[in-house]
CSV table of all heavy atoms in Angstrom, one decimal:
chain,number,residue,atom,x,y,z
A,1,MET,N,0.9,-1.2,0.0
A,1,MET,CA,0.0,0.0,0.0
A,1,MET,C,0.9,1.2,0.0
A,1,MET,O,2.0,1.3,0.6
A,1,MET,CB,-0.9,0.0,1.2
A,1,MET,CG,-1.9,-1.2,1.3
A,1,MET,SD,-3.2,-1.1,0.1
A,1,MET,CE,-4.5,-0.5,1.1
A,2,GLN,N,0.4,2.3,-0.6
A,2,GLN,CA,1.1,3.5,-0.6
A,2,GLN,C,0.1,4.7,-0.4
A,2,GLN,O,-1.1,4.5,-0.6
A,2,GLN,CB,1.9,3.8,-1.9
A,2,GLN,CG,1.1,3.8,-3.1
A,2,GLN,CD,2.0,3.7,-4.4
A,2,GLN,OE1,2.5,2.7,-4.7
A,2,GLN,NE2,2.1,4.8,-5.0
A,3,ASN,N,0.6,5.8,0.0
A,3,ASN,CA,-0.3,7.0,0.2
A,3,ASN,C,-0.1,8.0,-0.8
A,3,ASN,O,1.0,8.3,-1.3
A,3,ASN,CB,0.0,7.6,1.6
A,3,ASN,CG,-0.5,6.7,2.7
A,3,ASN,OD1,-1.6,6.2,2.7
A,3,ASN,ND2,0.3,6.6,3.8
A,4,ILE,N,-1.2,8.6,-1.2
A,4,ILE,CA,-1.2,9.8,-2.1
A,4,ILE,C,-1.9,10.9,-1.4
A,4,ILE,O,-2.9,10.7,-0.7
A,4,ILE,CB,-1.8,9.5,-3.5
A,4,ILE,CG1,-1.7,10.7,-4.4
A,4,ILE,CG2,-3.3,9.1,-3.3
A,4,ILE,CD1,-0.3,11.0,-4.9
A,5,HIS,N,-1.4,12.1,-1.6
A,5,HIS,CA,-2.1,13.3,-1.1
A,5,HIS,C,-2.8,14.0,-2.2
A,5,HIS,O,-2.2,14.2,-3.3
A,5,HIS,CB,-1.1,14.3,-0.4
A,5,HIS,CG,-0.5,13.7,0.8
A,5,HIS,ND1,-1.1,13.6,2.0
A,5,HIS,CD2,0.8,13.1,0.9
A,5,HIS,CE1,-0.2,13.0,2.9
A,5,HIS,NE2,0.9,12.7,2.2
A,6,LEU,N,-4.1,14.4,-2.0
A,6,LEU,CA,-4.8,15.1,-3.0
A,6,LEU,C,-5.2,16.5,-2.5
A,6,LEU,O,-5.5,16.7,-1.3
A,6,LEU,CB,-6.2,14.4,-3.3
A,6,LEU,CG,-6.0,12.9,-3.8
A,6,LEU,CD1,-7.4,12.3,-4.0
A,6,LEU,CD2,-5.3,12.8,-5.1
A,7,LYS,N,-5.2,17.5,-3.4
A,7,LYS,CA,-5.6,18.8,-3.1
A,7,LYS,C,-7.0,18.9,-3.8
A,7,LYS,O,-7.1,18.7,-5.0
A,7,LYS,CB,-4.7,19.8,-3.7
A,7,LYS,CG,-5.1,21.3,-3.4
A,7,LYS,CD,-4.8,21.7,-2.0
A,7,LYS,CE,-5.3,23.2,-1.8
A,7,LYS,NZ,-6.8,23.2,-1.7
A,8,ILE,N,-8.0,19.2,-3.0
A,8,ILE,CA,-9.4,19.2,-3.5
A,8,ILE,C,-10.1,20.5,-3.2
A,8,ILE,O,-10.1,20.9,-2.0
A,8,ILE,CB,-10.2,18.1,-2.8
A,8,ILE,CG1,-9.6,16.7,-3.0
A,8,ILE,CG2,-11.7,18.0,-3.3
A,8,ILE,CD1,-10.2,15.6,-2.1
A,9,ASP,N,-10.5,21.2,-4.3
A,9,ASP,CA,-11.2,22.4,-4.1
A,9,ASP,C,-12.7,22.2,-4.2
A,9,ASP,O,-13.2,21.3,-4.9
A,9,ASP,CB,-10.8,23.4,-5.3
A,9,ASP,CG,-9.4,23.9,-5.1
A,9,ASP,OD1,-9.0,24.0,-4.0
A,9,ASP,OD2,-8.8,24.1,-6.2
A,10,GLY,N,-13.5,22.9,-3.4
A,10,GLY,CA,-14.9,22.9,-3.5
A,10,GLY,C,-15.6,22.2,-2.4
A,10,GLY,O,-16.9,22.1,-2.4
A,11,MET,N,-14.9,21.7,-1.4
A,11,MET,CA,-15.6,21.0,-0.2
A,11,MET,C,-15.9,22.1,0.8
A,11,MET,O,-15.0,22.8,1.3
A,11,MET,CB,-14.7,20.0,0.4
A,11,MET,CG,-14.3,18.8,-0.5
A,11,MET,SD,-13.5,17.5,0.4
A,11,MET,CE,-12.0,18.2,0.9
A,12,THR,N,-17.2,22.3,1.0
A,12,THR,CA,-17.6,23.4,1.9
A,12,THR,C,-18.3,23.0,3.1
A,12,THR,O,-18.8,23.9,3.9
A,12,THR,CB,-18.5,24.4,1.1
A,12,THR,OG1,-19.6,23.7,0.5
A,12,THR,CG2,-17.7,25.1,0.0
A,13,CYS,N,-18.5,21.7,3.3
A,13,CYS,CA,-19.0,21.3,4.6
A,13,CYS,C,-18.6,19.8,4.8
A,13,CYS,O,-18.1,19.1,3.9
A,13,CYS,CB,-20.5,21.5,4.8
A,13,CYS,SG,-21.6,20.2,4.1
A,14,GLY,N,-18.9,19.3,6.0
A,14,GLY,CA,-18.5,17.9,6.3
A,14,GLY,C,-19.2,16.9,5.4
A,14,GLY,O,-18.7,15.8,5.2
A,15,GLY,N,-20.4,17.3,4.9
A,15,GLY,CA,-21.1,16.4,3.9
A,15,GLY,C,-20.3,16.2,2.7
A,15,GLY,O,-20.3,15.1,2.1
A,16,CYS,N,-19.6,17.2,2.2
A,16,CYS,CA,-18.7,17.1,1.0
A,16,CYS,C,-17.6,16.1,1.3
A,16,CYS,O,-17.3,15.2,0.5
A,16,CYS,CB,-18.1,18.4,0.7
A,16,CYS,SG,-19.3,19.7,0.1
A,17,ALA,N,-17.1,16.2,2.5
A,17,ALA,CA,-16.0,15.3,2.9
A,17,ALA,C,-16.5,13.8,2.9
A,17,ALA,O,-15.8,12.9,2.5
A,17,ALA,CB,-15.4,15.7,4.3
A,18,ASN,N,-17.7,13.7,3.4
A,18,ASN,CA,-18.3,12.3,3.4
A,18,ASN,C,-18.4,11.8,2.0
A,18,ASN,O,-18.2,10.6,1.8
A,18,ASN,CB,-19.6,12.3,4.1
A,18,ASN,CG,-19.5,12.5,5.6
A,18,ASN,OD1,-18.4,12.3,6.2
A,18,ASN,ND2,-20.6,12.9,6.3
A,19,SER,N,-18.9,12.6,1.1
A,19,SER,CA,-19.1,12.2,-0.3
A,19,SER,C,-17.7,11.8,-0.9
A,19,SER,O,-17.6,10.8,-1.6
A,19,SER,CB,-19.7,13.4,-1.1
A,19,SER,OG,-20.9,13.7,-0.6
A,20,VAL,N,-16.7,12.6,-0.7
A,20,VAL,CA,-15.4,12.3,-1.2
A,20,VAL,C,-14.9,11.0,-0.6
A,20,VAL,O,-14.4,10.1,-1.3
A,20,VAL,CB,-14.4,13.4,-1.0
A,20,VAL,CG1,-13.0,13.0,-1.3
A,20,VAL,CG2,-14.8,14.7,-1.8
A,21,ASN,N,-15.1,10.8,0.7
A,21,ASN,CA,-14.6,9.6,1.3
A,21,ASN,C,-15.3,8.4,0.7
A,21,ASN,O,-14.7,7.4,0.4
A,21,ASN,CB,-15.0,9.8,2.8
A,21,ASN,CG,-14.2,8.9,3.7
A,21,ASN,OD1,-14.2,7.6,3.5
A,21,ASN,ND2,-13.5,9.4,4.7
A,22,ARG,N,-16.6,8.5,0.5
A,22,ARG,CA,-17.4,7.4,0.0
A,22,ARG,C,-16.9,7.0,-1.4
A,22,ARG,O,-16.7,5.8,-1.7
A,22,ARG,CB,-18.9,7.7,0.0
A,22,ARG,CG,-19.8,6.6,-0.4
A,22,ARG,CD,-21.2,6.9,-0.2
A,22,ARG,NE,-21.7,8.1,-0.9
A,22,ARG,CZ,-22.0,9.2,-0.4
A,22,ARG,NH1,-22.0,9.4,0.9
A,22,ARG,NH2,-22.3,10.2,-1.1
A,23,VAL,N,-16.8,7.9,-2.3
A,23,VAL,CA,-16.4,7.6,-3.7
A,23,VAL,C,-15.0,7.0,-3.8
A,23,VAL,O,-14.8,6.1,-4.6
A,23,VAL,CB,-16.5,8.8,-4.7
A,23,VAL,CG1,-18.0,9.2,-4.8
A,23,VAL,CG2,-15.6,9.9,-4.4
A,24,LEU,N,-14.1,7.4,-2.9
A,24,LEU,CA,-12.8,6.8,-2.8
A,24,LEU,C,-12.8,5.4,-2.3
A,24,LEU,O,-12.2,4.5,-2.9
A,24,LEU,CB,-11.9,7.7,-2.0
A,24,LEU,CG,-11.5,9.0,-2.7
A,24,LEU,CD1,-10.8,9.9,-1.7
A,24,LEU,CD2,-10.6,8.8,-3.9
A,25,ARG,N,-13.6,5.2,-1.3
A,25,ARG,CA,-13.6,3.8,-0.7
A,25,ARG,C,-14.3,2.8,-1.6
A,25,ARG,O,-14.1,1.6,-1.4
A,25,ARG,CB,-14.4,3.9,0.7
A,25,ARG,CG,-13.6,4.6,1.8
A,25,ARG,CD,-14.3,4.6,3.1
A,25,ARG,NE,-13.6,5.3,4.1
A,25,ARG,CZ,-12.6,4.7,4.8
A,25,ARG,NH1,-12.2,3.5,4.6
A,25,ARG,NH2,-12.0,5.5,5.7
A,26,GLU,N,-15.1,3.3,-2.5
A,26,GLU,CA,-15.8,2.4,-3.4
A,26,GLU,C,-14.8,1.8,-4.4
A,26,GLU,O,-15.1,0.8,-5.1
A,26,GLU,CB,-16.9,3.1,-4.2
A,26,GLU,CG,-18.1,3.3,-3.3
A,26,GLU,CD,-19.2,4.2,-4.1
A,26,GLU,OE1,-18.9,4.7,-5.1
A,26,GLU,OE2,-20.3,4.3,-3.5
A,27,ILE,N,-13.6,2.3,-4.6
A,27,ILE,CA,-12.6,1.9,-5.5
A,27,ILE,C,-11.9,0.7,-5.0
A,27,ILE,O,-11.4,0.7,-3.8
A,27,ILE,CB,-11.6,3.0,-5.9
A,27,ILE,CG1,-12.4,4.2,-6.5
A,27,ILE,CG2,-10.5,2.5,-6.8
A,27,ILE,CD1,-11.5,5.4,-6.6
A,28,ASN,N,-11.8,-0.4,-5.7
A,28,ASN,CA,-11.1,-1.6,-5.3
A,28,ASN,C,-9.6,-1.2,-5.1
A,28,ASN,O,-9.0,-0.5,-6.0
A,28,ASN,CB,-11.2,-2.7,-6.3
A,28,ASN,CG,-12.5,-3.3,-6.3
A,28,ASN,OD1,-13.2,-3.4,-5.3
A,28,ASN,ND2,-13.0,-3.8,-7.5
A,29,GLY,N,-9.0,-1.6,-4.0
A,29,GLY,CA,-7.6,-1.3,-3.8
A,29,GLY,C,-7.4,-0.1,-2.8
A,29,GLY,O,-6.3,0.1,-2.4
A,30,VAL,N,-8.5,0.6,-2.5
A,30,VAL,CA,-8.3,1.8,-1.6
A,30,VAL,C,-8.5,1.3,-0.2
A,30,VAL,O,-9.4,0.6,0.1
A,30,VAL,CB,-9.3,2.9,-2.0
A,30,VAL,CG1,-9.4,3.9,-0.9
A,30,VAL,CG2,-9.0,3.5,-3.3
A,31,GLY,N,-7.6,1.7,0.7
A,31,GLY,CA,-7.6,1.4,2.1
A,31,GLY,C,-8.1,2.6,2.9
A,31,GLY,O,-9.2,3.1,2.7
A,32,ASP,N,-7.3,3.1,3.7
A,32,ASP,CA,-7.6,4.2,4.6
A,32,ASP,C,-7.8,5.5,3.8
A,32,ASP,O,-7.0,5.7,2.9
A,32,ASP,CB,-6.6,4.4,5.7
A,32,ASP,CG,-7.0,5.3,6.8
A,32,ASP,OD1,-8.1,5.1,7.3
A,32,ASP,OD2,-6.3,6.3,7.0
A,33,VAL,N,-8.8,6.2,4.1
A,33,VAL,CA,-9.1,7.5,3.5
A,33,VAL,C,-9.3,8.6,4.6
A,33,VAL,O,-10.1,8.4,5.5
A,33,VAL,CB,-10.3,7.5,2.6
A,33,VAL,CG1,-10.5,8.9,1.9
A,33,VAL,CG2,-10.2,6.4,1.5
A,34,GLN,N,-8.5,9.7,4.5
A,34,GLN,CA,-8.7,10.8,5.5
A,34,GLN,C,-9.0,12.0,4.6
A,34,GLN,O,-8.1,12.4,3.8
A,34,GLN,CB,-7.4,11.0,6.3
A,34,GLN,CG,-7.0,9.8,7.2
A,34,GLN,CD,-8.0,9.5,8.3
A,34,GLN,OE1,-8.7,10.4,8.8
A,34,GLN,NE2,-8.1,8.2,8.7
A,35,VAL,N,-10.1,12.6,4.9
A,35,VAL,CA,-10.5,13.8,4.1
A,35,VAL,C,-10.6,15.0,5.1
A,35,VAL,O,-11.3,14.8,6.2
A,35,VAL,CB,-11.8,13.7,3.4
A,35,VAL,CG1,-12.2,14.9,2.6
A,35,VAL,CG2,-11.7,12.4,2.4
A,36,ASP,N,-10.0,16.1,4.8
A,36,ASP,CA,-10.1,17.3,5.6
A,36,ASP,C,-10.7,18.4,4.8
A,36,ASP,O,-10.0,19.0,3.9
A,36,ASP,CB,-8.7,17.7,6.1
A,36,ASP,CG,-8.8,18.9,7.1
A,36,ASP,OD1,-9.7,19.7,7.0
A,36,ASP,OD2,-7.9,19.0,7.9
A,37,TRP,N,-12.0,18.6,4.9
A,37,TRP,CA,-12.7,19.6,4.0
A,37,TRP,C,-12.2,21.0,4.3
A,37,TRP,O,-12.2,21.9,3.4
A,37,TRP,CB,-14.2,19.5,4.1
A,37,TRP,CG,-14.8,19.9,5.4
A,37,TRP,CD1,-15.1,19.1,6.4
A,37,TRP,CD2,-15.3,21.2,5.7
A,37,TRP,NE1,-15.7,19.8,7.4
A,37,TRP,CE2,-15.8,21.1,7.0
A,37,TRP,CE3,-15.3,22.4,5.0
A,37,TRP,CZ2,-16.4,22.3,7.6
A,37,TRP,CZ3,-15.8,23.6,5.7
A,37,TRP,CH2,-16.4,23.5,7.0
A,38,GLN,N,-11.9,21.3,5.5
A,38,GLN,CA,-11.5,22.7,5.9
A,38,GLN,C,-10.1,23.0,5.2
A,38,GLN,O,-9.9,24.2,4.8
A,38,GLN,CB,-11.4,22.9,7.4
A,38,GLN,CG,-12.8,22.9,8.0
A,38,GLN,CD,-12.8,22.7,9.5
A,38,GLN,OE1,-12.2,21.8,10.0
A,38,GLN,NE2,-13.5,23.6,10.2
A,39,ASN,N,-9.2,22.1,5.1
A,39,ASN,CA,-8.0,22.3,4.5
A,39,ASN,C,-8.0,22.0,3.0
A,39,ASN,O,-7.0,22.3,2.3
A,39,ASN,CB,-6.9,21.5,5.2
A,39,ASN,CG,-6.5,22.0,6.5
A,39,ASN,OD1,-6.5,23.2,6.8
A,39,ASN,ND2,-6.1,21.1,7.4
A,40,GLY,N,-9.0,21.3,2.5
A,40,GLY,CA,-9.1,21.0,1.1
A,40,GLY,C,-8.1,19.9,0.7
A,40,GLY,O,-7.5,20.0,-0.3
A,41,THR,N,-8.0,18.9,1.6
A,41,THR,CA,-7.0,17.9,1.4
A,41,THR,C,-7.6,16.5,1.6
A,41,THR,O,-8.5,16.3,2.4
A,41,THR,CB,-5.7,18.0,2.3
A,41,THR,OG1,-6.1,18.0,3.6
A,41,THR,CG2,-5.0,19.3,2.0
A,42,ALA,N,-7.0,15.5,1.0
A,42,ALA,CA,-7.3,14.1,1.4
A,42,ALA,C,-6.0,13.3,1.3
A,42,ALA,O,-5.1,13.6,0.4
A,42,ALA,CB,-8.3,13.6,0.4
A,43,THR,N,-5.9,12.3,2.1
A,43,THR,CA,-4.8,11.4,2.1
A,43,THR,C,-5.5,10.0,1.8
A,43,THR,O,-6.4,9.6,2.6
A,43,THR,CB,-4.0,11.3,3.4
A,43,THR,OG1,-3.5,12.7,3.6
A,43,THR,CG2,-2.8,10.4,3.3
A,44,VAL,N,-5.0,9.3,0.8
A,44,VAL,CA,-5.6,8.1,0.4
A,44,VAL,C,-4.6,7.0,0.3
A,44,VAL,O,-3.5,7.1,-0.3
A,44,VAL,CB,-6.3,8.2,-1.0
A,44,VAL,CG1,-7.0,7.0,-1.4
A,44,VAL,CG2,-7.2,9.4,-1.1
A,45,GLN,N,-4.8,5.9,1.1
A,45,GLN,CA,-4.0,4.7,1.0
A,45,GLN,C,-4.5,3.8,-0.1
A,45,GLN,O,-5.7,3.5,-0.1
A,45,GLN,CB,-4.0,4.0,2.4
A,45,GLN,CG,-3.1,2.8,2.5
A,45,GLN,CD,-3.3,2.1,3.8
A,45,GLN,OE1,-4.5,1.7,4.1
A,45,GLN,NE2,-2.3,1.9,4.6
A,46,PHE,N,-3.6,3.3,-0.9
A,46,PHE,CA,-4.1,2.5,-2.0
A,46,PHE,C,-3.1,1.5,-2.4
A,46,PHE,O,-1.9,1.6,-2.2
A,46,PHE,CB,-4.5,3.3,-3.2
A,46,PHE,CG,-3.4,3.9,-4.0
A,46,PHE,CD1,-2.9,3.4,-5.1
A,46,PHE,CD2,-2.9,5.1,-3.5
A,46,PHE,CE1,-1.9,4.0,-5.8
A,46,PHE,CE2,-1.8,5.8,-4.2
A,46,PHE,CZ,-1.4,5.2,-5.4
A,47,ASP,N,-3.5,0.4,-3.0
A,47,ASP,CA,-2.7,-0.7,-3.5
A,47,ASP,C,-2.4,-0.4,-5.0
A,47,ASP,O,-3.4,-0.5,-5.8
A,47,ASP,CB,-3.4,-2.0,-3.3
A,47,ASP,CG,-2.6,-3.2,-3.9
A,47,ASP,OD1,-1.5,-3.0,-4.4
A,47,ASP,OD2,-3.1,-4.3,-3.7
A,48,ALA,N,-1.2,-0.1,-5.3
A,48,ALA,CA,-0.9,0.2,-6.7
A,48,ALA,C,-1.1,-0.9,-7.7
A,48,ALA,O,-1.1,-0.7,-8.9
A,48,ALA,CB,0.5,0.8,-6.8
A,49,ALA,N,-1.3,-2.1,-7.2
A,49,ALA,CA,-1.5,-3.3,-8.1
A,49,ALA,C,-3.0,-3.3,-8.5
A,49,ALA,O,-3.4,-4.0,-9.4
A,49,ALA,CB,-1.2,-4.6,-7.4
A,50,GLN,N,-3.8,-2.5,-7.8
A,50,GLN,CA,-5.3,-2.6,-8.0
A,50,GLN,C,-5.9,-1.3,-8.6
A,50,GLN,O,-6.9,-1.3,-9.2
A,50,GLN,CB,-6.0,-2.9,-6.7
A,50,GLN,CG,-5.8,-4.3,-6.2
A,50,GLN,CD,-6.7,-4.7,-5.0
A,50,GLN,OE1,-7.8,-4.9,-5.2
A,50,GLN,NE2,-6.1,-4.6,-3.8
A,51,THR,N,-5.2,-0.2,-8.3
A,51,THR,CA,-5.7,1.1,-8.8
A,51,THR,C,-4.6,2.0,-9.0
A,51,THR,O,-3.4,1.7,-8.7
A,51,THR,CB,-6.8,1.6,-7.9
A,51,THR,OG1,-7.5,2.8,-8.5
A,51,THR,CG2,-6.3,2.0,-6.5
A,52,ASP,N,-4.9,3.2,-9.4
A,52,ASP,CA,-3.8,4.2,-9.6
A,52,ASP,C,-4.3,5.6,-9.3
A,52,ASP,O,-5.5,5.8,-9.0
A,52,ASP,CB,-3.2,4.1,-11.0
A,52,ASP,CG,-4.2,4.3,-12.1
A,52,ASP,OD1,-5.3,4.9,-11.8
A,52,ASP,OD2,-3.9,3.9,-13.2
A,53,VAL,N,-3.4,6.6,-9.3
A,53,VAL,CA,-3.7,7.9,-8.9
A,53,VAL,C,-4.8,8.5,-9.8
A,53,VAL,O,-5.7,9.2,-9.4
A,53,VAL,CB,-2.4,8.8,-8.9
A,53,VAL,CG1,-2.8,10.3,-8.6
A,53,VAL,CG2,-1.5,8.3,-7.8
A,54,ALA,N,-4.7,8.2,-11.1
A,54,ALA,CA,-5.6,8.8,-12.1
A,54,ALA,C,-7.0,8.3,-11.8
A,54,ALA,O,-8.0,9.1,-11.9
A,54,ALA,CB,-5.2,8.3,-13.5
A,55,ALA,N,-7.2,7.1,-11.3
A,55,ALA,CA,-8.5,6.6,-11.0
A,55,ALA,C,-9.1,7.3,-9.8
A,55,ALA,O,-10.3,7.6,-9.7
A,55,ALA,CB,-8.5,5.1,-10.8
A,56,LEU,N,-8.2,7.6,-8.8
A,56,LEU,CA,-8.6,8.3,-7.6
A,56,LEU,C,-9.0,9.7,-7.9
A,56,LEU,O,-10.1,10.2,-7.5
A,56,LEU,CB,-7.5,8.3,-6.6
A,56,LEU,CG,-6.8,7.0,-6.2
A,56,LEU,CD1,-5.7,7.2,-5.2
A,56,LEU,CD2,-7.9,6.0,-5.6
A,57,VAL,N,-8.2,10.3,-8.8
A,57,VAL,CA,-8.6,11.7,-9.2
A,57,VAL,C,-9.9,11.7,-10.0
A,57,VAL,O,-10.7,12.6,-9.7
A,57,VAL,CB,-7.4,12.3,-10.0
A,57,VAL,CG1,-7.8,13.6,-10.7
A,57,VAL,CG2,-6.2,12.6,-9.1
A,58,ASP,N,-10.1,10.8,-10.9
A,58,ASP,CA,-11.3,10.8,-11.7
A,58,ASP,C,-12.5,10.6,-10.8
A,58,ASP,O,-13.6,11.2,-11.0
A,58,ASP,CB,-11.3,9.6,-12.7
A,58,ASP,CG,-10.4,9.9,-13.9
A,58,ASP,OD1,-10.0,11.0,-14.0
A,58,ASP,OD2,-10.2,9.0,-14.7
A,59,ALA,N,-12.4,9.7,-9.8
A,59,ALA,CA,-13.6,9.5,-8.9
A,59,ALA,C,-14.0,10.8,-8.1
A,59,ALA,O,-15.2,11.1,-8.0
A,59,ALA,CB,-13.2,8.4,-7.9
A,60,VAL,N,-13.0,11.5,-7.7
A,60,VAL,CA,-13.3,12.7,-6.9
A,60,VAL,C,-13.8,13.8,-7.9
A,60,VAL,O,-14.8,14.5,-7.6
A,60,VAL,CB,-12.1,13.2,-6.2
A,60,VAL,CG1,-12.4,14.6,-5.5
A,60,VAL,CG2,-11.6,12.2,-5.2
A,61,GLU,N,-13.3,13.9,-9.1
A,61,GLU,CA,-13.8,14.8,-10.1
A,61,GLU,C,-15.3,14.5,-10.4
A,61,GLU,O,-16.1,15.4,-10.6
A,61,GLU,CB,-13.0,14.8,-11.4
A,61,GLU,CG,-11.6,15.5,-11.2
A,61,GLU,CD,-10.8,15.5,-12.5
A,61,GLU,OE1,-11.1,14.7,-13.4
A,61,GLU,OE2,-9.9,16.3,-12.6
A,62,ASN,N,-15.5,13.2,-10.6
A,62,ASN,CA,-16.9,12.8,-10.9
A,62,ASN,C,-17.9,13.1,-9.8
A,62,ASN,O,-19.1,13.2,-10.1
A,62,ASN,CB,-16.9,11.3,-11.3
A,62,ASN,CG,-16.3,11.0,-12.6
A,62,ASN,OD1,-16.1,11.9,-13.5
A,62,ASN,ND2,-15.8,9.8,-12.8
A,63,ALA,N,-17.4,13.2,-8.6
A,63,ALA,CA,-18.2,13.6,-7.5
A,63,ALA,C,-18.5,15.1,-7.5
A,63,ALA,O,-19.3,15.6,-6.6
A,63,ALA,CB,-17.6,13.1,-6.2
A,64,GLY,N,-17.8,15.8,-8.3
A,64,GLY,CA,-18.1,17.3,-8.5
A,64,GLY,C,-17.1,18.2,-7.9
A,64,GLY,O,-17.4,19.4,-7.7
A,65,PHE,N,-15.9,17.7,-7.7
A,65,PHE,CA,-14.9,18.6,-7.1
A,65,PHE,C,-13.7,18.7,-8.0
A,65,PHE,O,-13.4,17.8,-8.8
A,65,PHE,CB,-14.4,18.0,-5.7
A,65,PHE,CG,-15.5,17.8,-4.8
A,65,PHE,CD1,-16.2,16.6,-4.6
A,65,PHE,CD2,-16.0,18.9,-4.0
A,65,PHE,CE1,-17.2,16.4,-3.7
A,65,PHE,CE2,-17.0,18.7,-3.1
A,65,PHE,CZ,-17.7,17.5,-3.0
A,66,ASN,N,-13.0,19.8,-7.9
A,66,ASN,CA,-11.7,20.0,-8.6
A,66,ASN,C,-10.6,19.4,-7.7
A,66,ASN,O,-10.5,19.7,-6.5
A,66,ASN,CB,-11.4,21.5,-8.8
A,66,ASN,CG,-12.4,22.1,-9.7
A,66,ASN,OD1,-12.8,21.5,-10.7
A,66,ASN,ND2,-12.9,23.3,-9.4
A,67,VAL,N,-9.8,18.6,-8.3
A,67,VAL,CA,-8.8,17.8,-7.6
A,67,VAL,C,-7.5,17.7,-8.4
A,67,VAL,O,-7.5,17.6,-9.6
A,67,VAL,CB,-9.4,16.4,-7.2
A,67,VAL,CG1,-9.8,15.6,-8.4
A,67,VAL,CG2,-8.3,15.6,-6.4
A,68,GLN,N,-6.4,17.7,-7.6
A,68,GLN,CA,-5.1,17.4,-8.2
A,68,GLN,C,-4.3,16.6,-7.2
A,68,GLN,O,-4.4,16.8,-6.0
A,68,GLN,CB,-4.4,18.6,-8.7
A,68,GLN,CG,-4.1,19.6,-7.6
A,68,GLN,CD,-3.6,20.9,-8.2
A,68,GLN,OE1,-3.8,21.2,-9.3
A,68,GLN,NE2,-3.0,21.7,-7.3
A,69,ALA,N,-3.5,15.8,-7.8
A,69,ALA,CA,-2.5,15.1,-6.9
A,69,ALA,C,-1.5,16.1,-6.4
A,69,ALA,O,-1.1,17.0,-7.1
A,69,ALA,CB,-1.8,14.0,-7.7
A,70,ALA,N,-1.2,16.0,-5.1
A,70,ALA,CA,-0.4,17.0,-4.5
A,70,ALA,C,0.9,16.4,-3.9
A,70,ALA,O,1.0,15.1,-3.9
A,70,ALA,CB,-1.1,17.7,-3.3
B,1,9UX,MO1,-22.6,20.4,2.5
B,1,9UX,MO2,-21.1,19.5,0.2
B,1,9UX,O1,-24.4,21.0,2.8
B,1,9UX,O2,-21.5,18.6,-1.5
B,1,9UX,S1,-22.5,18.3,1.4
B,1,9UX,S2,-21.8,21.7,0.8
């Protein structure tokens, strides 16, 4: 497992953080997810054999947020 940090714009309450958390956890290979909506960041643990950073970024984008790997 490895960790990636994401910079996420557009999270304005804890519900947004829950949404981001959910879409990331739905991805096979994702382990621990920590989302901080006030700082606009997320740390995602994932298995590089099962998924990749692009898939994580796409999932968050599809949930309606602007995101980039940080
Ligand atoms: Mo809070 Mo976020 O009411 O999509 S859930 S702004």
Side-chain angles (χ1 to χ4, degrees):
M1 299 289 257
Q2 61 192 75
N3 286 316
I4 182 72
H5 297 282
L6 302 176
K7 179 79 183 73
I8 304 171
D9 290 327
M11 296 191 292
T12 52
C13 85
C16 294
N18 289 341
S19 296
V20 169
N21 201 303
R22 185 171 58 249
V23 298
L24 288 168
R25 287 181 184 280
E26 285 174 351
I27 299 169
N28 288 331
V30 169
D32 190 52
V33 179
Q34 299 292 335
V35 181
D36 185 332
W37 68 268
Q38 290 166 306
N39 286 328
T41 57
T43 302
V44 186
Q45 183 188 56
F46 69 101
D47 178 358
Q50 295 186 73
T51 189
D52 57 21
V53 173
L56 305 178
V57 167
D58 281 353
V60 177
E61 283 183 345
N62 289 339
F65 301 96
N66 294 319
V67 56
Q68 61 188 18

